[in-house]
Amino acid sequence: MAKISIDLNSGTVQKESAVIGIDLGTTNSLIATIDSDTHEPYCITKNKDSIVPSTINFNNQEIIVGKEASKKLISDPKNTLYSVKRLMGKSYQEIMNQGNPVNYQIIDNKDKLVQVKINNQFYTPIELSSFILKELKKIGTDQLKQDIQKVVITVPAYFDDSQRQATRDAGKLAGLDVLRIINEPTAASLAYGLGIDKNQSKIVAVYDLGGGTFDISILHIQQGIFEVLSTNGDTYLGGDDFDQAIVNHWKKLHSLSSLSDNDKQLLRITAERAKKELSAILSYMDSIDIHGQNITLTLNQEQLHEILHPIIERTIRICSNALKDADISSSEIQEVVLVGGSTRTPAVKNSVRHLFPDAKINDQINPDEVVALGAAIEADILAGNRTDLLLLDVTPLSLGIETVGGLMDVLIPRNNKIPTQLKKEYTTSVDGQVNLAINVYQGEREMVTDNRKIGEFILKGIPSMPAGIPKIELTFLLNADGILQVSAKELRSGVSQQVTLKPQYGITDQQIKDMLQESLNFAESDMDKRSLAEAITEAEQLIYATQKFIRDNSDLLTPKDVTKLEEIIQGLNQRIQSKDKNAISAQVEKLNNYSKPFAEKVMDQQISKALSGKKIE
Ligand code: ADP
Ligand code: MG
């Protein structure tokens, strides 16, 4: 039964808004909803077809998206865009570093997100994606005769903060209220009901072979939490390569060379058709006119498997790497979920079955639709229609700030469930400090310089107080999309400041993995560095406190005491220079012992505060 919501302020019944999931794909996009009677998800269709090619054609102010635009890839390639997902959340430099994946014109927009120039207009990938989303929204509104607003959109598991933020912005631009961005493998698992049973703990591999991309994700699903143990892939490996391999086979067989663009296109389309049909039948035959000559093209399943073998093997090697990264053996995988149109090819299924002999292979749901269907289920959960499931994701890297000595102080540890909020209290290290710079980092290393800086801001206007007195409460709020909001408040004065960390460009999943690996490799030397940094910080604070103590308590100390204290301080400074942790600690102890009797006498609260607690520089 559909829910009716009432606006409590006006007392009016609000227009019903459908529960919507969207798979915004590189090649194809889909929109799904939940049947209000059966409560099953289904894809919304246009002309009985659920697939909307992610292709955009611009002609005389008109923007066409989908099947009609795809036709223009041949007749009007100059004004037709595809694969804009590959540009999402990226700078020009990053796209160039990847070897520019598209053959349309992209513009360097300085440090900002790249732009695309088409028809003498400039568009960001966010705007371009919003055109696809608008088309999906229109299909949904037309079919459901219902307003569409609240949606869940899926993204690849390896999408970083900025790519997720860009996807969310595209939704906003299309007039959608994006309830949540979720991972494609999570959505696909949900469509198969994995994770629905809260008492179940499962290790699942999601194998996604689409048109131009391949991803494998190893998930650990328990208590409604979908933890990505590892993800791997090749953003240039997919069904398009199958088509090309078939074309090459025919070209060789029929000695076809120096083909016109049209002939090439015809051959490619025929190859794709043959590939698709051979997923259901054993042999294929067609005749086409090339070079004004009629040739008969044939292919059977066995030949196809042979042709595709090297390509499929590449996916299998990537799967093995993902297993290695997750520290899981293939026999530990309990379920495999097949996603993407190319998994219909029998040779692909066979290879996957061979790699995961003990797993249940989930392939009953249409692999083109499975991600969108799962997104609709998630939307249904978020709409409050299903109380049996709570979906949680986890953060892949620890989040924290820089403290004195360049140390990483973690607020939200890696693999923490999101959304989450954590608070921690800090203080100042210098008397009368009125501004406090807060540097936010992501990563697992002990020293911030080895981690990745994701933002900074300054808490201004702290009333002047002695070091150690201000109480600065830092709050990290990580929302369900993995976007971080940091706020700082000086509790004595109420001065506060907050920032939403701007999307960072281009942290890839590989980088996340590298950072984790590094943190393991460097664990020991990191610990050494950390204890040295801590010893130095402690020593510097002690020197500071002692010098202050000498200034403030000249009446208590004899000139001899002062000289002696200064001598020890000088020795400590030398040891700090030498970066010898043990020597520093020994000298700290010496200074402590010498000053202890005086300190005890005037155990000043400020000094005790100055000597304790973590401080931000
Ligand atoms: P993406 O996730 O990249 O948007 P899809 O999951 O929609 O892509 O997959 C598109 C690919 O699936 C294309 O290469 C297409 O040729 C292939 N495909 C579609 N149907 C079949 C089929 N019956 N047999 C084999 N491949 C298929
Ligand atoms: Mg896909």
Side-chain angles (χ1 to χ4, degrees):
M1 208 186 68
K3 288 198 170 175
I4 297 170
S5 47
I6 296 170
D7 185 332
L8 293 175
N9 292 321
S10 62
T12 54
V13 175
Q14 285 182 338
K15 234 197 323 184
E16 218 175 291
S17 164
V19 167
I20 297 292
I22 288 175
D23 171 5
L24 185 60
T26 310
T27 320
N28 296 316
S29 297
L30 298 95
I31 172 167
T33 188
I34 302 284
D35 185 298
S36 52
D37 295 324
T38 64
H39 230 84
E40 293 294 321
Y42 69 94
C43 282
I44 303 171
T45 59
K46 179 182 179 181
N47 304 328
K48 297 201 172 134
D49 198 348
S50 59
I51 290 177
V52 179
S54 308
T55 318
I56 312 164
N57 173 256
F58 295 77
N59 78 65
N60 313 325
Q61 311 307 322
E62 209 199 354
I63 295 170
I64 313 169
V65 174
K67 285 248 148 62
E68 290 308 309
S70 278
K71 289 183 193 155
K72 306 279 182 176
L73 277 173
I74 301 163
S75 62
D76 185 20
K78 263 204 355 254
N79 296 316
T80 312
L81 303 178
Y82 57 91
S83 288
V84 295
K85 188 174 176 178
R86 294 189 190 276
L87 311 178
M88 285 292 263
K90 301 240 153 133
S91 68
Y92 180 83
Q93 204 46 53
E94 282 166 342
I95 291 163
M96 286 307 160
N97 291 346
Q98 284 175 15
N100 189 12
V102 293
N103 67 4
Y104 41 83
Q105 199 180 355
I106 59 170
I107 308 287
D108 191 354
N109 198 18
K110 295 291 164 303
D111 276 344
K112 301 204 203 75
L113 296 174
V114 68
Q115 291 202 333
V116 174
K117 186 177 179 202
I118 189 137
N119 224 349
N120 281 323
Q121 295 258 34
F122 296 91
Y123 298 96
T124 62
I126 293 173
E127 286 172 278
L128 297 171
S129 296
S130 83
F131 297 145
I132 301 170
L133 291 170
K134 273 186 198 154
E135 172 69 12
L136 295 170
K137 183 179 175 179
K138 186 172 180 302
I139 292 172
T141 314
D142 287 352
Q143 294 299 313
L144 300 178
K145 313 257 179 296
Q146 230 178 359
D147 186 35
I148 285 179
Q149 248 164 31
K150 296 186 186 328
V151 300
V152 167
I153 305 178
T154 59
V155 295
Y158 60 78
F159 255 32
D160 66 26
D161 234 41
S162 67
Q163 293 169 300
R164 282 165 203 264
Q165 184 71 56
T167 306
R168 184 171 266 279
D169 290 346
K172 221 181 282 170
L173 213 53
L176 298 168
D177 175 8
V178 182
L179 296 174
R180 194 168 287 186
I181 300 288
I182 66 166
N183 289 334
E184 288 161 11
T186 299
S189 304
L190 264 182
Y192 279 102
L194 299 171
I196 304 277
D197 181 352
K198 283 207 196 77
N199 301 317
Q200 207 177 49
S201 167
K202 278 213 161 127
I203 306 215
V204 176
V206 181
Y207 179 103
D208 182 348
L209 191 59
T213 61
F214 170 65
D215 302 312
I216 173 83
S217 302
I218 312 290
L219 308 181
H220 182 203
I221 307 176
Q222 60 166 347
Q223 295 178 318
I225 301 170
F226 289 71
E227 182 186 357
V228 181
L229 296 180
S230 71
T231 132
N232 213 318
D234 186 333
T235 43
Y236 296 96
L237 177 61
D240 298 346
D241 297 300
F242 289 5
D243 305 343
Q244 192 54 49
I246 298 167
V247 167
N248 293 344
H249 166 77
W250 281 338
K251 268 164 75 173
K252 212 166 121 195
L253 202 67
H254 298 280
S255 312
L256 302 169
S257 56
S258 56
L259 294 174
S260 69
D261 282 351
N262 270 347
D263 285 345
K264 278 185 199 156
Q265 201 63 24
L266 181 61
L267 211 51
R268 198 193 59 74
I269 290 169
T270 314
E272 186 179 6
R273 192 183 309 133
K275 172 189 77 175
K276 287 184 179 177
E277 291 201 9
L278 288 172
S279 291
I281 57 169
L282 291 175
S283 65
Y284 176 88
M285 184 162 75
D286 198 1
S287 56
I288 58 170
D289 287 319
I290 278 187
H291 276 335
Q293 171 189 347
N294 188 273
I295 55 168
T296 301
L297 299 169
T298 61
L299 194 66
N300 63 38
Q301 244 189 33
E302 214 173 304
Q303 290 168 322
L304 179 65
H305 291 186
E306 208 168 296
I307 293 169
L308 301 186
H309 181 76
I311 306 172
I312 297 171
E313 268 313 297
R314 279 168 63 196
T315 73
I316 297 300
R317 273 199 297 278
I318 293 168
C319 290
S320 302
N321 289 337
L323 288 168
K324 222 179 283 161
D325 289 343
D327 203 13
I328 296 275
S329 73
S330 70
S331 60
E332 283 174 272
I333 301 291
Q334 293 158 287
E335 308 236 7
V336 174
V337 173
L338 294 182
V339 183
S342 301
T343 61
R344 285 208 186 82
T345 297
V348 172
K349 276 191 205 189
N350 288 342
S351 296
V352 173
R353 227 177 252 126
H354 192 251
L355 177 65
F356 303 107
D358 303 320
K360 176 181 169 204
I361 308 283
N362 294 287
D363 64 352
Q364 316 85 277
I365 301 177
N366 180 336
D368 302 319
E369 297 187 345
V370 64
V371 168
L373 297 175
I377 295 174
E378 170 70 0
D380 203 29
I381 296 167
L382 292 172
N385 299 337
R386 296 184 62 150
T387 46
D388 55 339
L389 186 67
L390 177 69
L391 224 198
L392 294 169
D393 270 316
V394 296
T395 175
L397 290 169
S398 300
L399 292 161
I401 62 158
E402 175 179 7
T403 52
V404 171
L407 292 178
M408 172 84 174
D409 197 45
V410 171
L411 276 99
I412 300 179
R414 136 184 167 74
N415 277 343
N416 207 303
K417 286 172 211 162
I418 54 176
T420 189
Q421 175 172 304
L422 274 114
K423 288 180 199 284
K424 212 163 171 178
E425 233 175 73
Y426 296 87
T427 189
T428 51
S429 59
V430 180
D431 282 341
Q433 193 172 337
V434 292
N435 289 337
L436 187 74
I438 293 164
N439 295 306
V440 183
Y441 286 83
Q442 186 172 38
E444 307 313 308
R445 303 284 301 274
E446 300 277 351
M447 309 297 297
V448 290
T449 46
D450 297 322
N451 289 328
R452 184 165 190 274
K453 186 164 181 175
I454 58 170
E456 63 182 352
F457 70 109
I458 297 171
L459 178 62
K460 289 187 185 138
I462 305 169
S464 178
M465 285 182 258
I469 297 296
K471 283 165 87 96
I472 294 146
E473 184 184 75
L474 213 58
T475 307
F476 271 34
L477 175 68
L478 191 59
N479 76 12
D481 302 330
I483 293 160
L484 181 67
Q485 193 172 61
V486 181
S487 49
K489 187 174 184 183
E490 201 290 299
L491 297 175
R492 294 181 196 278
S493 60
V495 174
S496 69
Q497 191 95 25
Q498 86 170 39
V499 286
T500 298
L501 289 183
K502 296 218 178 63
Q504 292 298 306
Y505 301 129
I507 184 167
T508 62
D509 198 55
Q510 188 57 44
Q511 280 169 299
I512 292 183
K513 261 189 328 218
D514 290 348
M515 284 164 89
L516 292 176
Q517 191 55 48
E518 255 174 41
S519 76
L520 294 177
N521 296 348
F522 290 101
E524 214 167 299
S525 70
D526 266 9
M527 282 314 285
D528 290 346
K529 269 194 216 160
R530 183 175 191 107
S531 53
L532 174 64
E534 275 170 354
I536 291 175
T537 302
E538 189 194 355
E540 283 171 346
Q541 284 171 1
L542 184 64
I543 292 171
Y544 177 82
T546 311
Q547 283 169 336
K548 185 171 176 350
F549 180 82
I550 296 170
R551 279 199 309 277
D552 293 351
N553 300 286
S554 48
D555 49 335
L556 272 170
L557 303 165
T558 66
K560 214 180 121 207
D561 293 334
V562 174
T563 312
K564 182 69 187 165
L565 278 170
E566 278 170 352
E567 213 180 275
I568 304 175
I569 287 173
Q570 203 192 347
L572 185 51
N573 270 324
Q574 279 162 4
R575 285 164 179 81
I576 290 172
Q577 295 297 320
S578 74
K579 296 202 155 87
D580 178 343
K581 196 226 146 208
N582 293 335
I584 295 169
S585 299
Q587 190 75 359
V588 162
E589 205 181 316
K590 194 165 165 191
L591 181 55
N592 264 327
N593 287 339
Y594 190 78
S595 58
K596 209 167 158 197
F598 312 115
E600 274 170 1
K601 269 191 239 163
V602 273
M603 199 50 185
D604 181 307
Q605 212 195 0
Q606 288 174 13
I607 293 177
S608 71
K609 281 254 165 60
L611 290 173
S612 65
K614 286 207 166 97
K615 296 167 186 70
I616 304 173
E617 233 154 12

